[in-house]
Amino acid sequence: MARNMDHKVLSFDLNKCTGCRACEIRCSFKHFRLINPTKSRIRIIKFEEFGLNVPTVCQQCTEAACMKVCPTKALREDLDTGARIIDDRRCIGCNLCMNICPFGALTLTSEKKLIKCTLCQGDPYCVKYCETGALSYEKVEKTEVEKRYQFAKKMADSVK
Amino acid sequence: MFGRMGTMVYIDLTERRVKKEPLPNYLYEDYLGGAGVNARLLYENIPPEMDSLDPSAVVILGVGPLVGTIVPSSGRIEITAKSPVTGIFGDSNAGGDFGPELKFAGYDHLVIRGKAKEPVYLWIDNDQIEIRDARPLWGKSTWEADELLKKIHGDRELKTALIGPAAENGILYGTVIINRYRACGKTGMGTVFASKNLKGIAVTGSKDVKINDPEASEEIVEKMMKAIKSHPGFERFAAYGTMLIQHSYQAHGKLPVKNRQEIGLPEDLFARLSTQAFDKVKVRDLACFNCPVHCSSWHEVTEGRYQGQKGEKPEFVAVAAFGTNLGNYDMNSVCFFQNLSNQYGIDMMEFGNTLGLAMEAYQRGLLKKEETDGIALEWGDQDAIETMFFKTVRSEGSGKVLGEGVHRLTKRLGKEAEGFTTDVKGYGHSWGDCRSSLLWGLAYGTASRGGDHLKSFPAIDESGRKDLALQLFGTELAANPQSEEAKGKANAWFENYSAVLDSLGLCKFAFTWIGLMAADSKFPDLIAEALTAATGTPYDGKRLLQCGERIYNVEKAFNVRCGLKRKDDYLPLRMLDTPAPAGPRKGEILRPIYEKMLNEYYEARGWDQETSIPTSQKLKELGLEDVDQDLAPLRKPGKA
């Protein structure tokens, strides 16, 4: 199965993430109209001991293990965005998708509702409210362009 | 309940009892939350004669109604207790993730009293609150204890508020450190924890913070963000945080050098503590919970004596405390001491003020080598500073004296030291030289927790916002740092505004320094709208500021009951009677102007000119009839 190259993906730059968690706050606010990071589909893992923050979120895998393992075919692809989406009517709450996801990107809320990133129908709120641009939403072939440029600039600066 | 979680917890460490109660209406309506509710609870729970380290004394943690909401820079936690350093009202405030997490666990306030038999910590996991054995954590640095707690509970995401070995060893100005790098630094809140055998609190939560009107909230937050980001200095604040303050102080004759014997540095020395020096160690920007300003940074020192130092920040406070004030011009060492202060849990400012005082006493021959364990307290001697730091946090030898703070060292040194101490109400005052900055001088003098800049944080005189000065205080001169005009009024207003921010859980760097000073910012009305949207209770800017005024009067009343009077609202002699050695008011004496400003301040406050006690009329206007009755016997006969 090949990735649809027209679809955009969420990508991140670790050096730009300040760990402010605005993405978590806005994600829960957008989808539940309240604030609760455990109800956010994106989570920032803070490594305070070395000052790094790592965003973790569904990668919308091309070969999505969650979709393959689902016994009721409750996970489907949003054809517009490529997001893997849970159909609540079909979901039986077996949590197999949670278990098999290598990224821990599916979350069970305290109300036992299974949630995962839907890419907000192509307008991800986490990206909108990311102050430093650590999160971006772009075509997969573009994701590394900026990082490559920044790295190259650093090298250029060091010898100029 | 909206905005707030609606629950406060009473914890008795002697009885090992935990009791949850609903947050009473009058408390949150009149005192907002956070610092305000804390202040009222302290007033109600600590009789004036009770010692700050008495086992039955309370220490209170509070998070405001905007903490953990979409409102930016809203992650503050407030800790309040009677201060063991000053013996008067004490509180301290920090950012980080702990405050919001406490709310996600379901609580607005924790009221802790009693003393555990053995070291304990509180483990809060949503509804479950346990008093747990902290013997394995005692003696550990805040960084080690934070790591251990994460291992013990198998939860990398729990948030901690911990004391370090300094407070355990008996230093009076021990701090409570929030997640390794944020400090409730002022007034010895960590020492109160230690007196209860309380190592700290670890919390994890998964509850909802509910918003009454999410749509309105979203709109208001858009406006707030726009205002904050419209400030012309936003990009630089975001890049350097409080590191810009040394530049401002250097430019405006406020940078304290060698315990304020001098003001400002020659450019070559200043360069070693400038943002350019900071660029050499800065790795990336970091932020507190939900903060677009991200004033913090990760630093790594890659060369020299302090090579290998890594951690968050440092702050301007560290630059002054371990740098300029001690004649030590080395950014790398500032990083080193910032990290040590966080690890050992010690207020950098009080340490820097105390060692600065000791160094000047040594310079003047008032302090001899026999009294400093044989250490020559020479300005800028990094060996001496390091040695004294470790002696202090371990309460060894002469370090025990430094660990008692500025006030007690001044008393020990005798009359001559009163001429160069920084003691205001028992605490060393903040860094900016008051002689070149009248409004801030008044702020340090009147601060309810002693010598402090954050109780008022009157940023208007550094903003150039003449229009705002005219609008708020009736004269553009209120924004002029060298004019005494309207400074009393302005200081009272900013104290009220700051009390509001501390009570709602908002950051003053974002909401005063940047937000309020941005053109067309419409604060504090916008904050009132955000509070209304979050809680459903109608507020406007006026009502909000009246809550701030009520809160400040309760803090004042607490101090009046501790015996404080007008004389306690003065700056120390060096600031008042010694001509400024440099800066825009070089050669001038502050005292006559200070008297005028203080009179105008009491006038604006509705406090008695002679005693400084709030008048009956003012307290009744604020609905503080009970406080009025408490203060009545302390007033002079015939005074209302």
Side-chain angles (χ1 to χ4, degrees), chain B residues 250-251 265-272:
Chain B
Q250 169 79 351
L265 287 171
E267 284 310 313
D268 57 326
L269 293 181
F270 180 75
R272 301 186 198 170

Side-chain angles (χ1 to χ4, degrees), chain B residues 81-100:
Chain B
K82 188 171 184 177
S83 166
V85 190
T86 60
I88 62 168
F89 178 84
D91 70 357
S92 197
N93 182 290
D97 291 280
F98 180 88

Side-chain angles (χ1 to χ4, degrees), chain B residues 25-38:
Chain B
N25 266 353
Y26 85 94
L27 273 181
Y28 72 74
E29 294 257 325
D30 289 353
Y31 297 90
L32 302 173
V37 170
N38 280 11

Side-chain angles (χ1 to χ4, degrees), chain A residues 15 18 20-21 25-26 29 33-37 39 43 45-46 48-53 129 131, chain B residues 68 97 104 150 156-157 181 206-209 215 218 221-222 229 284 286-287 289-290 292 298:
Chain A
N15 264 318
T18 65
C20 77
R21 302 165 71 196
I25 295 156
R26 288 294 182 161
F29 187 71
R33 305 313 273 167
L34 46 79
I35 298 94
N36 184 343
K39 290 183 178 171
R43 294 305 302 272
I45 307 302
K46 300 188 92 163
E48 283 162 328
E49 60 276 33
F50 40 87
L52 260 177
N53 300 288
Y129 292 99
E131 179 57 35
Chain B
D97 291 280
F104 297 135
K150 284 172 176 158
R156 299 280 332 159
E157 290 174 11
Y181 310 113
S206 58
K207 298 198 178 184
D208 305 331
V209 172
E215 281 66 35
E218 209 162 16
V221 169
E222 289 303 314
K229 286 158 88 171
R284 68 180 72 83
L286 293 170
F289 184 86
N290 198 12
W298 187 254

Side-chain angles (χ1 to χ4, degrees), chain B residues 199-450:
Chain B
K199 179 71 181 177
I201 302 163
V203 59
T204 185
S206 58
K207 298 198 178 184
D208 305 331
V209 172
K210 297 192 179 86
I211 302 300
N212 183 62
D213 187 344
E215 281 66 35
S217 182
E218 209 162 16
E219 274 172 36
I220 296 156
V221 169
E222 289 303 314
K223 288 186 203 163
M224 285 177 160
M225 292 287 276
K226 219 171 139 192
I228 289 170
K229 286 158 88 171
S230 75
H231 192 293
F234 179 81
E235 295 294 332
R236 279 180 63 74
F237 294 138
Y240 293 111
T242 58
M243 283 279 146
L244 294 174
I245 296 175
Q246 60 260 36
H247 287 261
S248 164
Y249 280 13
Q250 169 79 351
H252 297 113
K254 291 172 73 175
L255 193 71
V257 176
K258 298 181 182 171
N259 197 40
R260 292 132 171 115
Q261 294 181 89
E262 299 162 25
I263 297 177
L265 287 171
E267 284 310 313
D268 57 326
L269 293 181
F270 180 75
R272 301 186 198 170
L273 290 169
S274 64
T275 51
Q276 286 83 352
F278 179 57
D279 280 336
K280 288 191 186 145
V281 297
K282 178 178 165 173
V283 179
R284 68 180 72 83
D285 294 321
L286 293 170
C288 290
F289 184 86
N290 198 12
C291 186
V293 182
H294 55 79
C295 74
S296 186
S297 310
W298 187 254
H299 70 253
E300 289 182 14
V301 178
T302 53
E303 57 184 15
R305 175 176 176 142
Y306 299 108
Q307 184 176 2
Q309 276 303 309
K310 293 175 187 182
E312 266 198 52
K313 305 200 172 221
E315 293 278 2
F316 162 68
V317 165
V319 171
F322 299 103
T324 63
N325 200 50
L326 304 182
N328 172 33
Y329 314 115
D330 175 8
M331 182 61 84
N332 294 347
S333 88
V334 169
C335 292
F336 171 72
F337 284 114
Q338 167 92 50
N339 290 336
L340 280 182
S341 299
N342 288 340
Q343 288 166 308
Y344 282 89
I346 169 176
D347 179 12
M348 301 189 287
M349 193 182 281
E350 187 65 3
F351 177 79
N353 269 325
T354 312
L355 185 54
L357 177 68
M359 283 182 158
E360 187 169 348
Y362 185 84
Q363 171 199 316
R364 289 166 181 264
L366 282 177
L367 204 55
K368 302 269 188 288
K369 261 190 180 177
E370 302 84 75
E371 297 160 282
T372 61
D373 307 314
I375 294 146
L377 296 184
E378 302 287 355
W379 298 111
D381 182 336
Q382 293 184 336
D383 289 327
I385 299 170
E386 252 180 65
T387 307
M388 293 319 286
F389 182 92
F390 284 112
K391 280 180 175 294
T392 303
V393 295
R394 291 171 185 149
S395 273
E396 285 170 6
S398 53
K400 210 171 167 54
V401 177
L402 294 185
E404 292 177 347
V406 165
H407 174 75
R408 288 170 177 81
L409 179 59
T410 307
K411 289 262 176 266
R412 231 172 234 272
L413 291 169
K415 194 79 187 156
E416 198 181 331
E418 286 173 17
F420 56 93
T421 182
T422 52
D423 182 0
V424 180
K425 296 188 183 69
Y427 218 80
H429 67 70
S430 298
W431 296 121
D433 198 291
C434 315
R435 291 167 289 189
S436 301
S437 169
L438 304 178
L439 180 54
W440 289 79
L442 182 62
Y444 295 178
T446 62
S448 57
R449 65 179 177 184

Side-chain angles (χ1 to χ4, degrees), chain A residues 1 7 58 60-62 64-91 97 106 114 116-119 121:
Chain A
M1 192 170 152
H7 289 158
C58 173
Q60 316 294 357
C61 306
T62 308
C66 56
M67 288 178 82
K68 285 185 183 167
V69 81
C70 180
T72 61
K73 306 230 176 312
L75 277 139
R76 59 176 179 81
E77 180 179 0
D78 176 338
L79 293 175
D80 292 336
T81 62
R84 275 65 178 118
I85 287 174
I86 303 166
D87 183 342
D88 286 337
R89 291 164 306 179
R90 288 190 174 196
C91 176
C97 52
L106 292 104
L114 197 63
K116 73 173 288 304
C117 174
T118 61
L119 295 175
Q121 288 79 50

